[in-house]
Amino acid sequence: MIYKKQYGHPFDTESVVGSFVPAMETIPYLTREPDGFSYAMDPQDILYGLGENIRGINKRGWHYETNNTDESEHGENRLSYYVAHNFLLISPADGSGCTGIFVDFPGKVSYDIGYTRHDTHRFATAEPNYALYLITAPAAAEVAKEFRHLIGPSYIPPKWAFGLAQSRFGYKTEAGIREVAAQYKANGLPLDMICMDIDYMQSYADFTIDKARFPDLGKLAADLKAEGIRLVPIIDAGIRCDDNDPVCREGLEKGYFCTKEDGKPFV
């Protein structure tokens, strides 16, 4: 069962693909508070979710923020990282009678999952306009399936993407990439892909290649593919603000970038 409750005038994030009738005034299991909701946890409840985050699979005992942050110093004392996934799955110890909570909100959401009170989970949005979805099902797998009905299915990646990926920041030359592949082969280790960070770019600018350090990226990719290894170069989500960068100029001229309310590009 999927319950929906709308508060204020939410921004349409287009996250939800289905149409759901709003729930009754009260949503099962949740207690309304001035800036959000609370949930009374049993001692053995396990809470999964929040996407790419810290402190293991069970999120109990800590507080978090979904507030996309370019955080390079990863550690258990951090509250948020690169991405925001406002979905939690609450599973009793026996795995039955599970609950999913999805907060459809584009801004910061704060979660206190047994941090202030060991038996209470609270979440609050930065401002009061949001949609809340609650999913109930007999088992965790069914909650996940219902959530997929809510937000739509994931794309199916290619078969090789399920294999072993070697990925890191700091592969600075073509020779360095080839050495990684050679060492895997020399040690009899499987390798399906090598993922490169921004070092292959010219001055870290999207859609460029540093020809001094990677003289023929196409040939490198082809050579690795012949060995059963895919080369995966990162592309950043944002373009540098630089009048000398042709990608930036083209984006500004053709209106490709996100804008603020006044029409100026969002930086």
Side-chain angles (χ1 to χ4, degrees):
M1 178 69 73
I2 299 177
Y3 300 87
K4 176 187 176 182
K5 184 66 176 176
Q6 181 171 304
Y7 296 95
H9 302 282
F11 177 84
D12 184 6
T13 65
E14 301 182 10
S15 298
V16 173
V17 298
S19 177
F20 300 89
V21 177
M24 303 285 287
E25 280 302 310
T26 59
I27 294 183
Y29 313 113
L30 299 179
T31 300
R32 185 85 169 103
E33 297 192 355
D35 59 348
F37 280 89
S38 65
Y39 176 94
M41 298 186 294
D42 287 333
Q44 301 304 315
D45 281 354
I46 300 172
L47 277 79
Y48 305 101
L50 299 186
E52 181 185 82
N53 222 306
I54 59 172
R55 301 182 74 84
I57 294 177
N58 188 356
K59 299 303 177 185
R60 284 192 76 149
W62 194 244
H63 54 127
Y64 308 86
E65 290 180 350
T66 52
N67 183 35
N68 298 356
T69 306
D70 189 8
E71 176 58 75
S72 60
E73 297 295 329
H74 293 185
E76 290 197 349
N77 60 329
R78 298 299 192 259
L79 301 183
S80 61
Y81 284 154
Y82 303 125
V83 291
H85 296 282
N86 288 314
F87 178 71
L88 280 167
L89 194 157
I90 304 166
S91 176
D94 62 2
S96 64
C98 296
T99 302
I101 298 173
F102 174 52
V103 184
D104 189 3
F105 180 69
K108 182 169 70 174
V109 184
S110 301
Y111 297 87
D112 183 329
I113 307 178
Y115 179 72
T116 302
R117 284 180 55 98
H118 74 279
D119 60 350
T120 303
H121 158 223
R122 294 186 70 259
F123 64 91
T125 56
E127 51 113 307
N129 299 304
Y130 63 97
L132 176 65
Y133 294 85
L134 186 135
I135 304 169
T136 60
E142 294 177 56
V143 171
K145 186 176 182 180
E146 287 292 308
F147 184 53
R148 283 298 179 201
H149 288 160
L150 186 69
I151 65 170
S154 297
Y155 80 101
I156 300 175
K159 187 177 179 180
W160 57 264
F162 291 95
L164 192 147
Q166 173 61 39
S167 175
R168 65 159 292 169
F169 175 81
Y171 293 141
K172 298 184 182 301
T173 64
E174 176 182 322
I177 295 288
R178 292 186 183 276
E179 177 65 14
V180 169
Q183 286 294 324
Y184 266 85
K185 185 175 182 179
N187 287 281
L189 298 172
L191 182 60
D192 294 277
M193 70 205 90
I194 297 177
C195 303
M196 299 190 299
D197 212 298
I198 57 178
D199 288 291
Y200 78 91
M201 301 175 184
Q202 180 68 53
S203 302
Y204 304 143
D206 258 350
F207 307 110
T208 66
I209 299 170
D210 188 321
K211 293 294 186 179
R213 292 183 290 121
F214 290 86
D216 194 336
L217 194 63
K219 184 176 187 306
L220 173 61
D223 289 348
L224 291 173
K225 187 176 180 180
E227 298 180 31
I229 303 169
R230 306 295 178 127
L231 187 65
V232 183
I234 192 175
I235 293 292
D236 283 332
I239 299 298
R240 179 186 301 171
C241 302
D242 183 355
D243 291 337
N244 296 318
D245 181 354
V247 177
C248 180
R249 288 201 306 270
E250 179 184 356
L252 290 171
E253 290 167 0
K254 298 182 178 180
Y256 290 156
F257 300 133
C258 297
T259 61
K260 296 183 290 185
E261 287 184 327
D262 61 5
K264 295 178 180 178
F266 174 75
V267 177

